[in-house]
Amino acid sequence: RHALVIVEGAGSPAEINLRERDIANMGFAEAADCPVIIVADIDRGGGFAHLVGTWELLGDSEKSRLKGFVINRFRGDISLLQPGLDWLEQRCGVPVLGVIPYIPDLYIEAEDALDFRQGKKNEHSLNVVVPVYPRASNHTDFDVLRLHPQIQFDYLRDARQFAGADLIILPGSKSVRDDLQWLKDSGWQQVIFRHLRLGGKVIGICGGFQMLGEKIHDPLGIESAPGSSDGLGLLAMQTTLSGEKILRNVSGVMLAGQLPVQGYEIHAGVSEGKALQQPVFSLITADQPDKPFFDGAISDDDQVLGSYIHGLFDQPALLAHLLQWAGLDNADAVDFPQLQQDNIERLADQVEAVIPFQRWCALLGIGDPC
């Protein structure tokens, strides 16, 4: 359906130990018969060694599809780098397409690693803590909270480092029962119970939502060994994992206040129980707009809320409402989607200034669509 598809690799293009099973880098490029550009982050150090070492480890057919190097996040005078660029091109016979400068205060979503950057805070902060279990997923759910000027945000693995919070959020998980056991073994269950006794709030998202219930059943061994686990018991519901994963974009409203929400679901569990009689959202999908359904649950004491929606905090009005629910008076409505778009445009402008779009078109053998 598209004239051009750009594929981003993951990790190194020359993982020798993974070559036979590589589906994310050069193995994919070979199978799809596509040209390749390799990008090095010079700000980390060792940029030239990275590029030369990668080139040396590629096979002949892989080298033949390599169309250029790009050096990213360079600080300083480009003229001081030029002798190195000339040497690199001569050494590998691969053109350097451009050097993208370091862009201060640029926010682009992290890929696999947790991003600990914080925005500038004012004196009226809400303290938010996210426990980091071993198989935590979808950490970009919390980027807007990290960058929000009224939120002091912390990822914590060690429960002993918990020094109090207004809101604890349980994130998604790639293996819910295993991470639930980790929460219990590492002391987080006790921390959460005490936090609630002191009047704090808790939100669970996707796998974190499932953990808030009374039981999680995995009869087929979808995520771990077949069996059942006791949940935290904070919501009257049970979840059964099944072989058919739910994957869908959703939109709708929060029932309290009719505030708009949109995001996505990706989970293998189906939840049932009394708690779901107090849903949080009414949702639809694009392919079935005439079939609304409910999502989420909220406890009788209004302290615990759960939902399957990823991207829950990205809508400005809903974010402000949830922060007020958690205890932040006069919460700002931060427009996170616009912040994301503005930063993508900043990056795109810098890249195009260094490597004109027409050069990409020529490199790929296509006409300029503009």
Side-chain angles (χ1 to χ4, degrees):
R1 290 181 298 161
H2 302 281
L4 177 64
V5 175
I6 297 176
V7 183
E8 182 184 17
S12 167
E15 299 281 8
I16 301 303
N17 57 311
L18 301 176
R19 174 161 282 169
E20 296 301 318
R21 303 183 302 278
D22 177 23
I23 60 171
N25 287 291
M26 297 305 293
F28 182 94
E30 292 275 87
D33 189 26
C34 62
V36 170
I37 296 163
I38 295 180
V39 184
D41 180 359
I42 200 169
D43 190 54
R44 295 173 181 263
F48 288 106
H50 177 192
L51 292 172
V52 174
T54 299
W55 183 82
E56 289 283 2
L57 293 173
L58 296 178
D60 291 340
S61 64
E62 295 170 331
K63 287 179 179 178
S64 69
R65 66 181 64 258
L66 181 55
K67 302 302 181 182
F69 294 137
V70 172
I71 292 180
N72 192 24
R73 305 214 313 161
F74 175 71
R75 304 175 189 243
D77 185 350
I78 187 67
S79 65
L80 300 177
L81 190 65
Q82 191 59 50
L85 303 180
D86 296 338
W87 176 90
L88 180 64
E89 290 188 343
Q90 184 177 10
R91 174 69 175 75
C92 300
V94 177
V96 176
L97 302 177
V99 178
I100 301 169
Y102 181 89
I103 306 172
D105 299 321
L106 178 71
Y107 165 73
I108 298 292
E109 286 185 345
E111 296 174 37
D112 299 320
L114 292 177
D115 193 338
F116 290 91
R117 290 175 296 172
Q118 296 256 0
K120 295 180 180 179
K121 309 302 177 184
N122 61 32
E123 67 275 15
H124 305 293
S125 292
L126 185 83
N127 290 325
V128 178
V129 168
V130 173
V132 182
Y133 15 86
R135 303 159 196 84
S137 65
N138 302 84
H139 53 82
T140 54
D141 282 343
F142 312 113
D143 284 354
V144 62
L145 302 181
R146 290 188 301 100
L147 301 174
H148 196 290
Q150 295 173 287
I151 296 176
Q152 177 58 47
F153 182 91
D154 289 293
Y155 284 118
L156 289 182
R157 184 175 297 276
D158 190 342
R160 294 171 296 182
Q161 295 178 345
F162 182 81
D166 300 293
L167 173 64
I168 294 176
I169 307 177
L170 300 182
S173 168
K174 298 170 185 174
S175 184
V176 180
R177 290 176 58 223
D178 289 337
D179 280 341
L180 174 60
Q181 190 60 49
W182 179 87
L183 274 182
K184 297 174 181 178
D185 295 342
S186 62
W188 274 106
Q189 178 174 258
Q190 289 80 6
V191 166
I192 292 168
F193 289 171
R194 183 173 185 273
H195 167 76
L196 289 170
R197 288 197 301 271
L198 294 175
K201 300 295 181 76
V202 172
I203 293 177
I205 297 177
C206 198
F209 175 34
Q210 295 172 349
M211 294 179 192
L212 296 175
E214 297 167 338
K215 290 278 188 179
I216 300 175
H217 307 289
D218 189 1
L220 302 178
I222 300 299
E223 294 184 347
S224 55
S228 298
S229 299
D230 290 332
L232 299 177
L234 300 175
L235 292 174
M237 69 177 201
Q238 299 192 12
T239 299
T240 301
L241 304 185
S242 63
E244 184 176 353
K245 179 168 285 189
I246 294 174
L247 176 60
R248 58 191 178 189
N249 292 315
V250 297
S251 61
V253 295
M254 187 176 194
L255 296 172
Q258 296 296 298
L259 300 169
V261 60
Q262 63 180 3
Y264 66 95
E265 295 182 18
I266 177 170
H267 58 92
V270 176
S271 299
E272 298 176 310
K274 181 181 176 182
L276 302 180
Q277 296 174 11
Q278 297 189 85
V280 183
F281 302 102
S282 175
L283 303 174
I284 59 171
T285 59
D287 58 335
Q288 293 184 315
D290 58 338
K291 294 184 178 180
F293 58 96
F294 294 120
D295 168 82
I298 191 163
S299 62
D300 291 335
D301 61 9
D302 198 40
Q303 284 187 265
V304 179
L305 183 151
S307 170
Y308 274 117
I309 303 174
H310 292 288
L312 189 62
F313 305 109
D314 292 357
Q315 286 82 163
L318 178 57
L319 172 62
H321 176 85
L322 290 173
L323 295 182
Q324 290 170 359
W325 172 79
L328 180 63
D329 294 330
N330 302 314
D332 292 341
V334 174
D335 192 340
F336 186 61
Q338 187 61 52
L339 175 66
Q340 289 177 305
Q341 188 61 38
D342 290 345
N343 278 274
I344 289 171
E345 293 294 341
R346 286 181 63 202
L347 177 59
D349 289 345
Q350 289 282 6
V351 173
E352 189 171 15
V354 173
I355 313 172
F357 186 65
Q358 292 75 13
R359 186 171 186 187
W360 293 112
C361 295
L363 186 71
L364 297 170
I366 61 175
D368 183 353
C370 299

